[in-house]
Structures are given as C-alpha cells and as structure tokens.
Amino acid sequence: MLASIIASGLASGAIYALVGVTYNTMFSTSRVMSFTSGQLAMLGGVFGSMFTLKLGMPIFAGFLLTLLACAVIGIITEFVAVRPVLKNLDQHLYVLSTLALALMIQQVAAIKWGTEPQPFPRLIGWGSGVWDEKFWLPVVACALTIIGLEYLYRRTLVGRAFLAIAEDNFAARALGLPERNLRIASYALAGVIGGIAGFSGGELLLAFFANGALLNFYGFVPVALGGLGNNRGAVIGGLALGLFQQAANFLVGGIFSSVAVFTLFIVVLLAAPQGLFGSATARRV
C-alpha cells in the first residue's frame, strides 16, 4: 500500500508540477497568471487520445501533433485573453479574461469530445503494478522538461532573452529585444509544456474534459507553495502535493482529502505568503 501511495503520489505530483511550470512560463514574460494552464494539460490528454486512438496515428506522430495543437492554443491565449488587458494589469482583468477563455475551451471540449472519460492508449507498454508506465512516465516527462528548460534558459540566446524579459521588460525593450514576439513564443512554449503534462499523464487521468478545472487548481498550488516564477520550487511543491494528496486519500478518503489539501495550502500561505522557495520582493520607497 505504501508503494502504491508513493507511485501514484509522485505521478500525480509530476503532472501538477508541469502545470505549475506552465503557469510560470506564461507569467514570466507577461506578468499574467493565465488560468488556461489546466486546460492546456487537459487538451494534451484529449488531443493525444484523439490522434492515437480515434485517428489511428502512431504514438510519436500523435505526440508531436498534440504538442503542436497545444502550442497553437497557447498562442491563441496570448492574443485573445492576455494582450488586450496588458495595459491594465493593476486592475487584474486577466483573471476574468483567462477564466472566460478557460471555460470556453472546456465547454467546446465537452461538446466535441463528450462528457464521459475516454480511454488513453498505452504509450510504451512497459511495467506493471507500481512500476506501470502510467506512474513513471509523468515523472520522467517532468524531469526531462525541467532539464530542457534549464538548458534553454542558461545555454541559449532565446532562453536568456526570456530571462531578460522576465527580469525587466522595460529595460529589455530599451535594449531592442522583441518583447511581443518573445511573449508569443513563451505562450507557445507553455502550451507545449501543458501538452506534455496531459499526454504523459493520459493513462492516469484519462482523456476527460473536466480535468481542466481540476488541474487548474492543483497546478496552481505548487506555484503558490514553491514561489511564483520558481520552476524548481514548483516541481518540489507539486511532488509534495501529490504525495500528501494520495496519503490523505488513503487515510481519510473522499472529499476529506481535498479538505486536507486546502488546509495545507492555507497554512503554508499564512506561514510564507511568498512561497516556501520564493523571495520577498523589495521595493524602494
């Protein structure tokens, strides 16, 4: 039982961590918390099942098309829900615009895909029991994604431009960096990360339109726990959340496991409002 809790907890936590990284990727270049992150992960599962099972494509081709489709949805998010409200960030209009787009995506998925969970194909066919691929695939996908992002941000000019925009977009514009194009690219990248989360976790979560709202919340918790903009903190927070959730589900079960998660979330925010790995922002007055 302990092995089952650890396996399912790490798998769920890796999915939550990837959704948290999706939040951070969009926030870094726009200072907008886009509540379409969970929907992107949901679409990763839906598109993956559609391309591989319904259309009969090979797994690799279905994976690439899933990432491409999610990247397009990410770009649409920037154009439709983010760009119109960037001049009024202090009014937090992006909360309404991104939530509205998230609801639209969810309802369209329900109409076109159906309201019942649909099966997701076995991707590799390795493992059984607690070593089944549905448990270790999300963990491997999360690890490879973080390694890839670290390489992008630290070793490439595009990644350093992302960091410059995230640090000070006004100074970056003054230096001639194409802020708008970089912001669009970051939203496409966020769509890819969300697609990886949904595709790698498809066997665990199935292809279900309602996963979007669930992942929106459970993906936001690692961001709050780890500190906004801190991908490493999001990974640690996501894995801790997954383990805690599965342990609570085993110990108290049902709705009470969600209550335990909410309680942990509130306690941590009361103790460290900036997150466990975030730094308090200082402002000269």
Side-chain angles (χ1 to χ4, degrees):
M1 184 60 68
L2 178 61
S4 178
I5 291 174
I6 293 174
S8 58
L10 289 177
S12 300
I15 298 171
Y16 302 153
L18 284 173
V19 178
V21 173
T22 303
Y23 271 112
N24 284 338
T25 303
M26 290 190 279
F27 177 83
S28 64
T29 55
S30 63
R31 289 297 181 265
V32 167
M33 288 295 297
S34 176
F35 293 99
T36 57
S37 300
Q39 310 300 328
L40 290 170
M42 176 271 292
L43 290 176
V46 169
F47 283 137
S49 179
M50 180 182 72
F51 289 135
T52 56
L53 284 184
K54 288 198 171 183
L55 300 182
M57 294 183 178
I59 296 296
F60 187 69
F63 176 64
L64 292 181
L65 286 176
T66 297
L67 299 190
L68 177 62
C70 290
V72 171
I73 299 298
I75 294 173
I76 292 173
T77 299
E78 196 278 334
F79 274 96
V80 174
V82 175
R83 186 175 298 184
V85 300
L86 282 179
K87 294 182 179 179
N88 300 292
L89 284 181
D90 57 330
Q91 299 180 23
H92 305 292
L93 296 178
Y94 59 84
V95 175
L96 295 177
S97 62
T98 57
L99 274 177
L101 181 59
L103 289 174
M104 291 172 62
I105 292 173
Q106 180 169 304
Q107 294 308 312
V108 170
I111 293 171
K112 298 296 184 180
W113 183 250
T115 57
E116 296 296 326
Q118 301 294 324
F120 197 89
R122 284 186 66 81
L123 300 178
I124 302 177
W126 292 355
S128 60
V130 296
W131 296 104
D132 192 273
E133 66 180 33
K134 70 179 180 181
F135 294 127
W136 58 261
L137 265 179
V139 178
V140 172
C142 181
L144 292 178
T145 300
I146 294 301
I147 293 172
L149 287 176
E150 286 294 317
Y151 180 84
L152 173 69
Y153 290 144
R154 307 299 176 186
R155 301 287 184 175
T156 66
L157 289 177
V158 174
R160 292 182 179 182
F162 280 144
L163 292 177
I165 293 292
E167 183 69 24
D168 191 334
N169 58 353
F170 295 105
R173 281 203 305 267
L175 292 173
L177 291 177
E179 182 200 7
R180 179 175 296 180
N181 292 339
L182 288 170
R183 188 172 62 244
I184 294 173
S186 73
Y187 273 73
L189 177 62
V192 169
I193 297 171
I196 292 173
F199 196 91
S200 64
E203 294 181 60
L204 188 65
L205 300 177
L206 301 179
F208 187 32
F209 84 100
N211 284 340
L214 178 73
L215 293 174
N216 253 339
F217 173 74
Y218 285 119
F220 178 75
V221 173
V223 175
L225 295 180
L228 186 57
N230 190 328
N231 285 341
R232 297 177 185 177
V235 171
I236 296 173
L239 295 177
L241 171 64
L243 291 170
F244 180 81
Q245 181 191 36
Q246 294 302 319
N249 191 45
F250 170 71
L251 294 174
V252 296
I255 189 67
F256 295 104
S257 64
S258 298
V259 174
V261 171
F262 297 151
T263 303
L264 174 67
F265 179 54
I266 293 172
V267 169
V268 170
L269 287 186
L270 287 175
Q274 75 278 6
L276 296 177
F277 303 96
S279 57
T281 57
R283 186 176 63 176
R284 182 178 298 175
V285 295

